[in-house]
Amino acid sequence: MCLDFSTDFIRLPSFHLTHWEKTKETDWIAVLEPHSACHLCPICLGASTNHARPGRRILRHRFVPSWGTVWVSVPVYRQRCASCMLTWTVEWNGIPPRGSVTSAFQEMAVDMCRSRDLLSVAKQLSLAYSTLERWYYQLAPQRLAQPKEHEAPEVVCLDEFALQKGHKYGVNLMDAQTGHIWQVTEGRSREQVRNALQQWPFRKAPHVVVTDLAPGMAETVCQVWKHTLVVADKFHVIQLF
């Protein structure tokens, strides 16, 4: 039962857990072995034979705050094709061909950056800031919600914000019900707001747009989305008093 739980915790379907090893007070290594499989040649798709097993790789896999860093130890397989005589290294699912961390560790680190700044996450995980920054900008766009997988929001909030106060501004469109920001566009002029509305990622326009008291913003919304109701944000109304 313990091994079954550990296998579910590790979540690397190409391997099964053999045992745990403890290296330091907070670091644990899960020693993994691959399931039996026939490794096909990437060129001719013919059967191959094991050419060599030069050693093992140890990679960071997970981080548990109350437990420490969990590492995995995986073997390195060199295969040879008898037909075309190609020799190659087997690539395991979830194990990058280079580096010292698994794909799951990279994804976990990026997920931690959703509610925290990159510097604090890098310090907690003992990572170089530049490394975490590279992972974030590589993986974060792939993990964004896709409009085609969601229904068009009925009510959205349209507001401007400062990218560089006093110099550069932008506008965003946010789902009023969930708080998810579906679109961010640089600029706040009427033409730039019009272009932003025309790039709305959903086919269906929202029924209601909540915005500030700027007349230009409301007029632009009515020009692009003729059947959309424009509502003044109560926060800006209260500010008048």
Side-chain angles (χ1 to χ4, degrees), residues 14-229:
S14 300
F15 300 92
H16 64 271
L17 176 67
T18 60
H19 63 279
W20 288 91
E21 292 180 355
K22 195 173 189 302
T23 57
K24 296 189 302 184
E25 183 179 351
T26 57
D27 289 345
W28 292 80
I29 298 178
V31 181
L32 307 179
E33 289 295 335
H35 299 298
S36 298
C38 179
H39 303 289
L40 301 181
C41 174
I43 294 181
C44 66
L45 300 180
S48 65
T49 56
N50 185 258
H51 174 65
R53 299 184 181 182
R56 303 183 70 90
R57 295 177 61 194
I58 299 179
L59 305 95
R60 300 173 70 178
H61 183 56
R62 288 187 181 276
F63 177 80
V64 182
S66 60
W67 199 20
T69 303
V70 177
W71 303 68
V72 291
S73 173
V74 297
V76 178
Y77 279 11
R78 294 281 293 170
Q79 298 290 120
R80 173 172 291 177
C81 177
S83 300
C84 59
M85 300 305 294
L86 174 70
T87 302
W88 77 96
T89 301
V90 175
E91 295 187 8
W92 310 109
N93 185 25
I95 308 295
R98 298 178 183 84
S100 59
V101 300
T102 63
S103 301
F105 188 88
Q106 294 181 2
E107 294 170 0
M108 180 206 66
V110 171
D111 287 340
M112 292 175 65
C113 297
R114 290 186 176 182
S115 56
R116 298 169 53 188
D117 61 284
L118 272 67
L119 182 59
S120 65
V121 175
K123 288 182 178 179
Q124 183 178 12
L125 299 179
S126 300
L127 289 172
Y129 178 86
S130 58
T131 299
L132 180 60
E133 184 181 36
R134 185 180 73 252
W135 294 352
Y136 183 83
Y137 288 111
Q138 286 177 346
L139 298 178
Q142 305 171 12
R143 304 172 76 83
L144 292 175
Q146 300 299 320
K148 61 183 180 181
E149 300 174 356
H150 297 265
E151 295 183 358
E154 300 287 332
V155 182
V156 298
C157 298
L158 172 63
D159 199 9
E160 66 180 44
F161 64 97
L163 292 166
Q164 184 180 0
K165 199 168 183 66
H167 300 277
K168 187 182 296 185
Y169 292 85
V171 293
N172 65 66
L173 286 161
M174 180 183 73
D175 189 331
Q177 303 297 326
T178 65
H180 184 81
I181 297 177
W182 284 109
Q183 185 177 345
V184 176
T185 309
E186 186 175 341
R188 60 176 179 173
S189 67
R190 287 198 177 191
E191 183 64 29
Q192 290 169 324
V193 173
R194 184 182 300 109
N195 292 336
L197 297 178
Q198 292 172 346
Q199 296 171 13
W200 178 239
F202 297 94
R203 294 183 179 180
K204 181 181 177 182
H207 290 170
V208 178
V209 172
V210 183
T211 185
D212 57 23
L213 301 178
M217 193 78 78
E219 292 175 4
T220 304
V221 173
C222 293
Q223 291 174 359
V224 179
W225 294 331
K226 300 184 183 301
H227 302 291
T228 297
L229 179 66

